[in-house]
């Protein structure tokens, strides 16, 4: 069953602006991961944040995790046309069912 | 060199046929996976193998049979293809398996169209 739900489903912004995507989940987690999928390609891992972490950075990416609200956000600063892609969150459940559960993704379009 | 490679990239076939998708990883990872991505972009795990042994087998029809000849290869054979099998199938691998919570490396996908 789908646990992660990304919000919004689609986002269109101007190049140079910041893009924020959210992910909500239902059960306790071990970690939460963000992936990018360019059109017609496989998914590429961006960042992993563990349940005891609140914020992580990687280049222009900033991920936050709020376990009390069961939500995470991915911020892409100074967006570029090359950031156009679908972004997925995946949660590793914290119970005995060690499976990655995926959301349906946010489609991000960066307008030049 | 491509880390996770799967072939073919496109597969168009008639209902009732049998087809295979091959996957190879050169990362030295212990665990490999097959995922199905439907038209709404939902990703659903189908199978997971760790060192050639099946560790996750989700509820998929028996027509789908994975085979892992060694830990670098995980092939997917599909019998009696149905229209509903049309989707993109992704192979992936990870270092220590999902139990370690490691990140996944994905292949570029096989778009299967059943006519």
């Amino acid at each position: 069953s789908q646990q992660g739900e990304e919000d919004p489903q689609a986002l269109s912004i101007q190049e140079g602006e910041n893009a924020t995507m959210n992910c909500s989940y239902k059960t306790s987690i071990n970690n939460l991961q963000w992936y990018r999928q360019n059109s017609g390609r496989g998914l590429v891992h961006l960042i992993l944040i563990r349940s005891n972490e609140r914020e992580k950075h990687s280049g222009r990416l900033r991920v936050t995790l709020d376990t009390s609200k069961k939500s995470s956000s991915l911020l892409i600063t100074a967006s570029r046309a090359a950031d156009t892609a679908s972004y997925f969150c995946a949660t590793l459940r914290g119970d005995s069912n060690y499976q990655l559960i995926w959301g349906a993704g946010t489609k991000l379009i960066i307008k030049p | 060199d491509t880390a996770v490679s799967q072939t073919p990239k496109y597969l168009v076939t008639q209902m009732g046929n049998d087809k295979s998708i091959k996957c190879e990883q050169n990362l030295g990872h212990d665990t490999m996976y097959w995922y199905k991505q439907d038209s709404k972009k939902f990703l659903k795990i189908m199978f997971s193998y760790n060192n050639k042994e099946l560790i996750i087998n989700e509820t998929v029809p028996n027509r789908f049979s994975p085979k892992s000849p060694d830990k670098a290869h995980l092939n997917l054979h599909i019998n009696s293809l149905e229209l509903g099998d049309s989707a993109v199938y992704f192979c992936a691998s990870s270092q220590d398996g999902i139990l370690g919570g490691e990140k996944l490396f994905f292949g570029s996908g096989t778009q299967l169209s059943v006519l």
Side-chain angles (χ1 to χ4, degrees):
Chain A
S1 61
Q2 299 298 326
Q3 168 162 258
E5 291 183 10
E6 289 91 341
D7 164 52
Q9 289 187 332
L11 180 61
S12 181
I13 61 173
Q14 291 294 137
E15 195 169 19
E17 293 179 342
N18 296 341
T20 299
M21 289 158 273
N22 303 298
C23 171
S24 60
Y25 56 91
K26 298 187 175 98
T27 67
S28 64
I29 62 168
N30 181 292
N31 69 50
L32 185 146
Q33 304 177 31
W34 284 92
Y35 288 78
R36 183 188 73 232
Q37 183 179 28
N38 290 89
S39 180
R41 306 294 296 274
L43 284 80
V44 174
H45 182 269
L46 295 175
I47 203 162
L48 181 154
I49 186 164
R50 302 194 186 281
S51 59
N52 61 353
E53 297 176 310
R54 291 296 165 258
E55 189 170 312
K56 247 186 157 175
H57 297 256
S58 177
R60 293 183 298 113
L61 305 180
R62 174 177 167 250
V63 168
T64 61
L65 178 65
D66 187 334
T67 52
S68 67
K69 294 181 181 178
K70 292 188 169 57
S71 68
S72 172
S73 67
L74 170 66
L75 168 67
I76 304 174
T77 60
S79 63
R80 305 168 182 168
D83 295 329
T84 294
S86 291
Y87 291 81
F88 294 85
C89 72
T91 52
L92 184 69
R93 288 172 58 160
D95 55 18
S96 60
N97 186 352
Y98 289 98
Q99 287 193 40
L100 269 182
I101 307 296
W102 298 81
T106 291
K107 188 173 174 64
L108 175 65
I109 296 172
I110 308 298
K111 295 178 286 189
Chain B
D1 288 338
T2 303
V4 182
S5 58
Q6 56 182 105
T7 56
K9 186 166 177 61
Y10 299 99
L11 187 52
V12 181
T13 187
Q14 298 287 332
M15 261 194 325
N17 284 349
D18 303 338
K19 291 292 178 186
S20 291
I21 307 172
K22 295 186 176 182
C23 179
E24 175 183 3
Q25 54 96 2
N26 63 6
L27 298 167
H29 287 170
D30 290 331
T31 306
M32 296 184 71
Y33 312 81
W34 277 109
Y35 277 88
K36 178 180 180 180
Q37 187 175 42
D38 63 23
S39 58
K40 295 184 179 179
K41 302 297 184 186
F42 279 110
L43 267 169
K44 184 172 171 55
I45 190 165
M46 301 173 71
F47 303 101
S48 173
Y49 270 73
N50 180 271
N51 272 319
K52 301 193 299 176
E53 288 190 22
L54 183 66
I55 58 171
I56 294 176
N57 182 1
E58 285 299 293
T59 307
V60 299
N62 290 338
R63 298 181 294 102
F64 291 79
S65 54
K67 283 187 172 55
S68 182
D70 54 62
K71 78 171 192 175
H73 296 84
L74 180 62
N75 304 323
L76 183 65
H77 189 76
I78 316 169
N79 291 328
S80 304
L81 278 155
E82 299 177 357
L83 293 176
D85 297 332
S86 295
V88 182
Y89 292 84
F90 286 100
C91 177
S93 71
S94 64
Q95 177 71 36
D96 294 319
I98 209 66
L99 298 181
E102 293 292 328
K103 65 183 184 181
L104 301 183
F105 291 77
F106 281 82
S108 57
T110 295
Q111 176 135 16
L112 172 64
S113 299
V114 183
L115 307 176

